Amino acid sequence: MFATHLESSEEVDLHLPIDQLATTCPSSGRPLLVRYDLEAAGKALSREEYASRPRKLWSLAELLPLADPAHAVDLGEGGTPLLSLPRLGASLGVDSLWVKDESQNPGGSFKARGMAVAVSMARALGARALAVPSAGNAGGALAAYGARAGLPVQLAMPRDVPTANLLEARIHGAQVELVDGTIADCGRWIAERASTEGWFDLSTLKEPYRVEGKKTLGYELALDMGWTLPDVILYPTGGGTGLIGMWKAFEEMRELGWIAADERLPRMVAVQASGCAPIVQAFEAGAEEAEPPTEPATVASGLRVPTPLGDRWMLRILRESGGTAVAVSDCELLEGTRRAAALEGLFFAPEAGALVAALTVLRERGELAQGERTVLFNTGTGLKYSECFHS
Ligand SMILES: Cc1ncc(COP(=O)(O)O)c(C=O)c1O
C-alpha cells in the first residue's frame, strides 16, 4: 500500500494516520485528502502496466487508499468510454468534442466511483453502518454499495428527489428519510443523528475517500487520450468531488511522470444551474468562499447544493487552471439534454445537459476556441429523470 497519510486541504500543517477512519480536518473543519508515496507507487505501477489492465476502477489499486485490494467492494465501476461527439460539436461550433460517458457505471452514474472506494474503506476500517444526505444519485449508489458490502445504509433525501433514485435506494434495502428542503437540510438531519446511531457519515468531502474514487476519472481520461489532456473540461458542479478528484489526479500524474511535466493542465469549467449557482457567483465576485443562494431551485437535482464544503478548494482550482464558471437556466439545460440525445444517441442527465448549454455560452463569450479539445462529463443517465422529460 502506498497511501501514507492524510493532509488538510487548507494550509494546516497536519499529518493524520491512513489506517483510521477519518472525517474532516480537526483543526479547520475543512476536507482531508489522501497522500501517497508516489515514487514507490510509480515503481510498482507504470502507466504501461495500468494501460494493460482491464478497464475498471480497481485497476488503479496502487494509487487508491485501500490496503488490501481483495477487500474492494466491486460492482465493475469505472472504465467508461470516452466518445467523440461530432454532430453535437458541429452544431455548436466545437470541432473536437468528447464525452466521458459515466452513465455506463453501475446504477447509471459517476457516484459509483466515489462510493466504491468510500464503502470499501469504511468497511475495512471498521464502520458498522453508513449514512449520506443525497440529492439522488449518491444515495442510490451508497444503497447499492452498502448492500454489496453487507452494511446497513441510512439516507436522507429531499422530498422532491427523482422517483427513480428513491426506488433504487429502497430496492437495495436502504432506510430513507424524506426531508423538506435541500441536501443541506438532509445533511443536518444526518449530522444530528450520526454519532448516536453509530453511522459513518459519507457526506461529500466530510470524509477523504470518495474523492479518491472520483480521482480515477482523471487517470482514465489521460489513458483514453494517450497520456495527454484536453484543453478544456466542463463539469456539472454540485459538491464538486469530481472536479477536485480530477485535479488531484492531474497533479499526481505529473509527479508520477505519467503526463509530461510541461503538459498544460486543462482549463476547468464549473457549470451550475442559475437557480443554484454559489460557485459561479463566488467566481464572478472574485471571492474565496461561496455564499448560499436564498432559494436554491433547479430540476437538475444533483446541482442543488447550496453550501458545498469544498467551495474554497474548487474556486482555487478554477482560478489556477485558468478556467471559469458558467450558470445556465433549467430551460437551457433540458434543451441541452434533448440536443445531445437527438444528435448523438446519448441520453444525458439534466446536470450534463447543462454542459451542452454552457458550450454555447463559452463560444459566445469567446472563452472557447473552435479547435480546442473539449471534454464533457455525462455524470449520469437521463433515464432516471423521467419527471423532467414528460412534455
Ligand atoms: C448526475 C449528477 N451530476 C452531477 C452531480 C454533482 O456532482 P458533485 O457533487 O460531485 O459536484 C450530481 C450529484 O448528485 C449528479 O447526480
Side-chain angles (χ1 to χ4, degrees):
M1 213 233 327
F2 302 100
T4 51
H5 63 280
L6 300 166
E7 241 174 53
S8 176
S9 60
E10 294 296 312
E11 307 272 292
V12 178
D13 188 16
L14 177 101
H15 277 216
L16 292 176
I18 189 72
D19 59 357
Q20 284 166 29
L21 204 53
T23 55
T24 48
C25 170
S27 144
S28 66
R30 291 283 174 170
L32 290 171
L33 65 162
V34 180
R35 289 298 186 203
Y36 296 81
D37 178 346
L38 289 176
E39 208 182 314
K43 284 187 187 133
L45 180 66
S46 65
R47 69 181 196 185
E48 289 74 24
E49 164 70 14
Y50 174 51
S52 74
R53 291 181 178 177
R55 294 283 171 118
K56 54 183 292 208
L57 178 139
W58 293 104
S59 290
L60 197 67
E62 286 84 346
L63 292 157
L64 294 172
L66 187 66
D68 182 353
H71 294 157
V73 183
D74 185 348
L75 285 169
E77 54 288 327
T80 55
L82 182 70
L83 302 169
S84 68
L85 300 173
R87 280 158 52 77
L88 182 63
S91 81
L92 296 164
V94 185
D95 292 345
S96 287
L97 185 63
W98 286 279
V99 64
K100 181 101 172 129
D101 188 15
E102 287 293 297
S103 71
Q104 298 194 32
N105 275 300
S109 93
F110 76 144
K111 298 285 177 183
R113 292 182 190 263
M115 290 307 179
V117 174
V119 172
S120 299
M121 286 299 285
R123 185 175 67 173
L125 299 179
R128 308 294 291 273
L130 310 171
V132 85
S134 169
N137 285 312
L142 179 60
Y145 283 89
R148 184 82 165 165
L151 292 174
V153 168
Q154 173 70 53
L155 304 176
M157 291 172 140
R159 195 170 295 284
D160 57 359
V161 67
T163 312
N165 295 127
L166 186 56
L167 189 152
E168 178 188 27
R170 288 192 168 140
I171 203 142
H172 291 306
Q175 295 294 318
V176 184
E177 177 73 17
L178 291 174
V179 175
D180 290 317
T182 69
I183 191 170
D185 303 293
C186 297
R188 274 189 288 280
W189 191 92
I190 297 280
E192 279 161 17
R193 291 160 181 81
S195 61
T196 47
E197 298 288 343
W199 304 329
F200 181 59
D201 182 352
L202 289 109
S203 297
T204 300
L205 297 173
K206 282 198 184 168
E207 49 70 40
Y209 316 116
R210 280 174 67 187
V211 166
E212 293 301 299
K214 291 283 182 73
K215 176 181 90 174
T216 59
L217 286 169
Y219 279 90
E220 283 184 19
L221 184 60
L223 171 64
D224 293 337
M225 300 192 79
W227 306 110
T228 61
L229 293 171
D231 299 304
V232 182
I233 286 177
L234 278 77
Y235 179 80
T237 306
T241 38
L243 188 89
I244 290 169
M246 266 191 275
W247 196 252
K248 186 169 186 283
F250 300 155
E251 289 179 334
E252 287 179 4
M253 281 191 288
R254 254 192 185 162
E255 214 174 313
L256 286 162
W258 288 17
I259 53 172
D262 59 356
E263 171 89 22
R264 215 182 167 288
L265 298 188
R267 304 201 303 280
M268 304 298 282
V269 180
V271 179
Q272 300 198 296
S274 41
C276 184
I279 297 297
V280 179
Q281 276 155 14
F283 183 84
E284 286 173 353
E288 283 179 20
E289 281 179 24
E291 292 292 329
T294 40
E295 281 183 36
T298 168
V299 295
S301 45
L303 303 185
R304 195 161 56 126
V305 183
T307 51
L309 189 61
D311 55 346
R312 295 169 64 86
W313 201 351
M314 280 190 271
L315 288 160
R316 279 201 302 271
I317 292 169
L318 298 183
R319 291 183 177 125
E320 199 183 318
S321 73
T324 186
V326 175
V328 299
S329 70
D330 276 11
C331 206
E332 290 167 323
L333 63 87
L334 292 176
E335 182 48 35
T337 302
R338 289 197 177 92
R339 187 196 277 244
L343 290 177
E344 299 287 5
L346 292 163
F347 191 0
F348 289 3
E351 290 84 347
L355 308 181
V356 177
L359 284 172
T360 306
V361 176
L362 292 174
R363 292 287 290 133
E364 279 169 9
R365 284 193 202 160
E367 292 185 65
L368 178 66
Q370 183 160 356
E372 288 193 296
R373 293 166 313 148
T374 305
V375 172
L376 314 179
F377 281 83
N378 176 29
T379 43
T381 173
L383 286 168
K384 285 191 178 173
Y385 297 77
S386 54
E387 292 96 331
C388 296
F389 296 103
H390 273 148
S391 55

